[in-house]
Amino acid sequence: MARRLLGADSANVFNIQEPEETAANQEYKVSSCEQRLISEIEYRLERSPVDESGDEVQDPDVPVENATAPFFEMKLKHYKIFEGMPVTFTCRVAGNPKPKIYWFKDGKQISPKSDHYTIQRDLDGTCSLHTTASTLDDDGNYTIMAANPQGRVSCTGRLMVQAVNQRGRSPRSPSGHPHARRPRSRSRDSGDENEPIQERFFRPHFLQAPGDLTVQEGKLCRMDCKVSGLPTPDLSWQLDGKPIRPDSAHKMLVRENGVHSLIIEPVTSRDAGIYTCIATNRAGQNSFNLELVVAAKEAHKAPVFMEKLQNTGVADGYPVRLECRVSGVPPPQIFW
């Protein structure tokens, strides 16, 4: 590998005796920051539309009692390698009917026709994604998602690609100092606590948003939405382009499950218009619009007899019908 990367003349300077460079695909544990990002990616992917997987999987009619949602018998692992080396992510998935498989890198779907990655699936459910020569651009989170009519499930493997400098040494210690900063690596070794953390950010994405609303004047109006993002986004509301400030009639709440709510009580004609919710964090912003129509309040009218009961005489044993006509808003209840 050293000869292929550096040429035969300089291959002898590649120090293979360092314990951290002895394995091409060395497993490692991800940091808590990386794990939060992985969880966020999986949460979004399992609720987002996807392109065709490329799997030639038939959808046989499976009795409900025999159907099972996809699950992983073996999950993806995390690896750190040097640029130019091959890497293979492998897992094993099961489910009935046979799930379709989708691969993603940092939340973006990998095409089955990709020239850089080779995607395979065996009869026993083993799925793999392989690249023969990794680059620094391959550094990232690789997610596999399995889906059938019973549900979706995903798992993620982290790939850390370390740069190899011109002398053939890992930039982990270019000057011989064990804690020297790596100049080209795009990620960090989660085991080195003295290195600065390169945090990843995730643009806001609305997982739940309301549609247009029609509310009667004087009633309560509630607009609920749910947004994801890293770091946690800040939300603001606008009415016809003007910011909405909290007051006695307008309240903005956040529940424990992450649902943000704008509550208006009571609704007046001044609350009608186009509402915009804007979510913002360090990675960018996202928004949605809805229209609130305020219906006029009904005018209340007391009951009035339009036609009153009339005195009626009939012979014993004959039927009788007593009639009247009444109006009012809302329609009155009748008691005899």
Side-chain angles (χ1 to χ4, degrees), residues 43 61 70 87 97 130 145 165 168 217 265 277 280 290 304 306:
Y43 182 87
D61 292 332
V87 65
H130 173 79
M145 183 172 70
N165 64 15
E217 186 176 4
E265 185 183 22
C277 180
T280 307
L290 66 90
V304 176
M306 309 299 293

Side-chain angles (χ1 to χ4, degrees), residues 275-319:
Y275 284 78
T276 304
C277 180
I278 304 173
T280 307
N281 68 7
R282 204 176 305 178
Q285 71 174 28
N286 206 343
S287 64
F288 70 85
N289 297 324
L290 66 90
E291 182 179 9
L292 174 62
V293 176
V294 178
K297 191 175 183 180
E298 291 184 352
H300 287 205
K301 294 182 180 180
V304 176
F305 283 100
M306 309 299 293
E307 293 181 10
K308 294 185 177 181
L309 296 175
Q310 300 296 320
N311 295 331
T312 305
V314 295
D316 185 22
Y318 282 79

Side-chain angles (χ1 to χ4, degrees), residues 153-170:
V153 67
S154 62
C155 70
T156 300
R158 176 80 174 89
L159 176 63
M160 186 175 69
V161 181
Q162 295 176 298
V164 177
N165 64 15
Q166 294 181 355
R167 295 192 308 156
R169 293 292 299 268
S170 165

Side-chain angles (χ1 to χ4, degrees), residues 21 31 52 57 78 84 98 131 136 158 173 179 197 259 283 328:
E21 299 178 6
S31 65
E52 286 301 319
V57 176
H78 309 295
K98 186 178 181 181
T131 181
L136 293 180
R158 176 80 174 89
S173 54
H179 299 304
I197 298 175
V259 174

Side-chain angles (χ1 to χ4, degrees), residues 74-90:
M74 180 178 69
K75 293 189 174 183
L76 299 177
K77 297 179 181 179
H78 309 295
Y79 297 109
K80 61 178 179 179
I81 63 173
F82 293 122
E83 58 177 323
M85 291 184 176
V87 65
T88 303
F89 283 101
T90 304

Side-chain angles (χ1 to χ4, degrees), residues 303-312 321-327 332-336:
V304 176
F305 283 100
M306 309 299 293
E307 293 181 10
K308 294 185 177 181
L309 296 175
Q310 300 296 320
N311 295 331
T312 305
R321 182 183 181 91
L322 303 176
E323 293 182 344
C324 67
R325 188 159 62 90
V326 65
S327 69
Q333 292 180 283
I334 303 299
F335 304 90
W336 287 90

Side-chain angles (χ1 to χ4, degrees), residues 19 34 42-43 47 66 76 104 144 186 195 197 199 216 218 220 250 263 270 283 288 291 298 302-303 310 319 323:
E34 290 170 327
E42 292 177 355
Y43 182 87
R47 290 156 179 81
N66 296 333
L76 299 177
F104 304 83
I144 181 172
R186 296 178 54 193
E195 291 191 60
I197 298 175
E199 188 175 0
Q216 190 177 31
L220 179 145
H250 301 79
I263 300 176
R270 295 189 301 272
F288 70 85
E291 182 179 9
E298 291 184 352
Q310 300 296 320
E323 293 182 344

